[in-house]
Amino acid sequence: MSETLALCGVRDLDLAQTLDCGQCFRWVEQPDGSFTGVAFGKSAAVRLEKNTLYIETENREDEPLWRSYFDLDLDYASVRSELSKLHPVLAEAAEYAGGIRILRQEPYEALCTFIISQNNNIKRIKGIVQRLCECFGERLPDGAYAFPTVETMAVLSVEDLAPLRAGFRARYLCDAAQRVSSGEVDLEYCRTAEYEDARAELMKITGVGVKVADCVLLFGLHRVEAFPVDVWMKRAMEKLFPGMQPSDFGPYAGIAQQYIFHYSRRHPELFD
DNA sequence: ACCCAGGAAATTC
DNA sequence: GAATTTCATGGG
């Protein structure tokens, strides 16, 4: 990791909130507050000082990739301002979680990690994902591992995935890899298709229901209108936003969802 | 021993 | 068809 990129003028970013809010599972906080991880097959160490995001990585030419990954060209202050008009509790959540950005992750990685997420906890999800990368991902120069390619995973059997200890989710991962690799499920189609069509495309995969599909659309395809509802969000909607529907949150509902999700998880006493 | 975990498939009523 | 049970695994 020979180069250090310095991205200036970065606002509305908190690395801990963004990288440890349950949208991604491969970043590790270091004792000095920096985070190390891999995205798009590239290792990086990132840290934020004032309004400059420093990224230690291999290639200086990857700056646009990292700008995109951290979604730095979307004006989150403006989004937050619009969302805050919708509901006072949303304004509170948006202020509390205002450092969250929706990462532009790779679609296939998001698909696999949110298949793994079902009926699971974040700590164990991270462990399964780590073993998946170590077992089947490319080893990078610094010793980290890329996320495995869909072509690699498409030829694996459920037994091959046993070391992951993913349980009943192993066959879902195989099904996803095979359907994406064959072209039966077209992830790039989901980037631009009508929302319901994109969701239906993903739900061709065994183990992908509405919630996982919404997460893939939000976190892997940057469909920021997506509003995944899990057990936390169900509780939060009933308690904090009675009578409101996901569709009431507008074109940036997914960002609202992340604010509410993070706010709710950090205030469990609200739901006693 | 018991419960839950960023759900979805399989089974039952 | 809608409601309930099961599905592996690990942590509290």
Side-chain angles (χ1 to χ4, degrees), chain A residues 27-77:
Chain A
W27 291 92
V28 178
E29 186 167 16
Q30 303 302 127
D32 65 358
S34 68
F35 284 78
T36 58
V38 179
F40 291 85
K42 298 162 191 297
S43 286
V46 301
R47 67 181 194 279
L48 188 64
E49 293 177 13
K50 297 199 61 173
N51 292 321
T52 301
L53 180 63
Y54 294 95
I55 304 179
E56 286 182 53
T57 186
E58 195 73 26
N59 282 110
R60 180 152 293 282
E61 291 143 22
D62 288 333
E63 178 171 330
L65 184 153
W66 293 110
R67 286 194 67 85
S68 167
Y69 184 75
F70 285 99
D71 201 24
L72 296 183
D73 294 323
L74 179 60
D75 182 356
Y76 278 73

Side-chain angles (χ1 to χ4, degrees), chain A residues 183-255:
Chain A
E184 181 187 345
V185 170
D186 185 344
L187 296 178
E188 285 307 316
Y189 163 79
C190 297
R191 202 183 286 282
T192 53
E194 288 292 323
Y195 194 84
E196 290 301 323
D197 295 337
R199 197 190 241 173
E201 178 80 358
L202 292 170
M203 289 172 63
K204 291 180 190 171
I205 297 164
T206 305
V208 177
V210 170
K211 190 271 175 180
V212 170
D214 286 344
C215 284
V216 175
L217 289 168
L218 178 56
F219 302 125
L221 293 155
H222 211 258
R223 298 290 298 254
V224 290
E225 73 270 44
F227 193 91
V229 178
D230 66 352
V231 291
W232 281 92
M233 287 303 297
K234 185 164 159 45
R235 278 198 290 261
M237 291 298 289
E238 289 169 356
K239 187 88 173 185
L240 304 177
F241 302 94
M244 279 186 82
Q245 305 294 336
S247 58
D248 296 331
F249 289 93
Y252 295 103
I255 298 174

